[in-house]
Amino acid sequence: MEQNKNPLLTVSHLAIDFETRSGIVRAVEDVSFTLNKGETLALVGESGSGKSVTAYSILNLLDKNGRLAEGEINYHGMALHNADKQMLSEVRGREIAMIFQNPMSTLNPIRKVGEHLSDMLRTHGFPSFSTISEEITKLLHQVEIYDVERVRNAYPFELSGGMCQRVMIALALACKSRVLIADEPTTGLDVTTQKSIMDLIDNLVKKKV
Ligand SMILES: Nc1ncnc2c1ncn2[C@@H]1O[C@H](COP(=O)(O)OP(=O)(O)OP(=O)(O)O)[C@@H](O)[C@H]1O
Ligand SMILES: [Mg+2]
């Protein structure tokens, strides 16, 4: 593997097993990659090849019957494969944020977009209402949502799929994390919206470098 001076996340020889009724099944074997600062890394593979479980394993979010059978995951000098609950909760969101495949199942249907964002900001240390409100506007602008008032007062089901995905990205940005893992953030969207979400993520990465 190519050695780079500035590795942020290194996955080495990862293997993931699932305990199933018919025994232990190895879903991922010998996966290695390095993500450097400012880089975008894409996992490509057919359905069922293990892209999602590889991503989940980084933050120890595998289903209960899954486990990291072999390998190491290192983030910024931290051995995530051996991390305890406290280390994981410090890394989740704060250092590494994740956008899931289906925003409708991640966003709480009875909470408005503004409430989702303010919860996230409060979790990440924004104390006062006025700074939170300003930050929400900033975040929505970053994901190219300009009718801020309408969107922050909307429930997820009142928004289009593309809009919801933008809100998910805004939530991830609210964490100010250094790594963003996006598990097929455009599945289920039409091709034009897919392109605009990918362009948006691309631009955000470029701005952050
Ligand atoms: N909880 C589980 N129990 C048993 N097997 C599982 C479990 N979760 C995932 N797997 C298996 O792990 C393998 C990898 O699944 P994964 O969801 O990572 O695929 P993927 O590459 O993300 O596919 P897609 O492109 O369809 O999203 C699959 O064979 C899947 O059946
Ligand atoms: Mg997947």
Side-chain angles (χ1 to χ4, degrees), residues 18 20 27 45-54 63 65 101 184:
F18 284 100
T20 68
E46 63 195 35
S47 183
S49 59
K51 306 178 294 292
S52 295
V53 296
T54 299
D63 289 335
N65 62 332
Q101 198 160 338
E184 300 195 43

Side-chain angles (χ1 to χ4, degrees), residues 2-198:
E2 193 187 327
Q3 287 296 311
N4 191 298
K5 285 157 262 145
N6 211 356
L8 203 52
L9 179 70
T10 311
V11 171
S12 329
H13 306 293
L14 182 78
I16 297 167
D17 284 351
F18 284 100
E19 220 176 296
T20 68
R21 262 186 245 161
S22 45
I24 291 180
V25 175
R26 177 144 298 187
V28 166
E29 181 148 81
D30 201 14
V31 168
S32 300
F33 56 82
T34 300
L35 176 72
N36 297 300
K37 193 162 178 281
E39 240 178 34
T40 301
L41 185 135
L43 297 183
V44 181
E46 63 195 35
S47 183
S49 59
K51 306 178 294 292
S52 295
V53 296
T54 299
Y56 296 159
S57 71
I58 293 170
L59 289 176
N60 202 346
L61 293 173
L62 290 172
D63 289 335
K64 268 211 175 104
N65 62 332
R67 67 178 191 99
L68 207 133
E70 281 173 37
E72 292 189 1
I73 300 169
N74 287 294
Y75 171 75
H76 232 253
M78 284 183 264
L80 294 187
H81 51 283
N82 284 329
D84 57 15
K85 269 193 184 151
Q86 200 200 329
M87 191 198 271
L88 280 170
S89 70
E90 277 165 25
V91 172
R92 282 184 193 143
R94 218 163 288 183
E95 298 288 337
I96 304 178
M98 184 138 183
I99 307 176
F100 294 94
Q101 198 160 338
N102 181 357
M104 284 306 183
S105 64
T106 312
L107 295 170
N108 184 337
I110 58 163
R111 285 183 80 71
K112 292 179 180 173
V113 166
E115 291 175 295
H116 279 97
L117 284 163
S118 57
D119 287 351
M120 187 65 93
L121 288 168
R122 226 170 278 124
T123 310
H124 290 278
F126 274 77
S128 79
F129 183 76
S130 62
T131 51
I132 285 187
S133 187
E134 257 172 52
E135 188 66 16
I136 288 177
T137 305
K138 237 191 261 171
L139 286 167
L140 290 176
H141 283 173
Q142 272 182 293
V143 295
E144 290 156 20
I145 291 176
Y146 298 106
D147 48 349
V148 170
E149 278 318 299
R150 179 181 77 89
V151 172
R152 68 191 290 169
N153 287 308
Y155 291 98
F157 64 84
E158 295 176 309
L159 300 175
S160 66
M163 281 290 219
C164 279
Q165 206 50 272
R166 282 170 200 274
V167 169
M168 293 295 294
I169 297 171
L171 280 166
L173 292 176
C175 308
K176 303 261 185 281
S177 61
R178 281 202 263 198
V179 176
L180 176 63
I181 300 176
D183 185 17
E184 300 195 43
T186 60
T187 301
L189 302 176
D190 64 78
V191 180
T192 323
T193 316
Q194 285 189 2
K195 167 116 176 52
S196 71
I197 297 286
M198 291 315 288

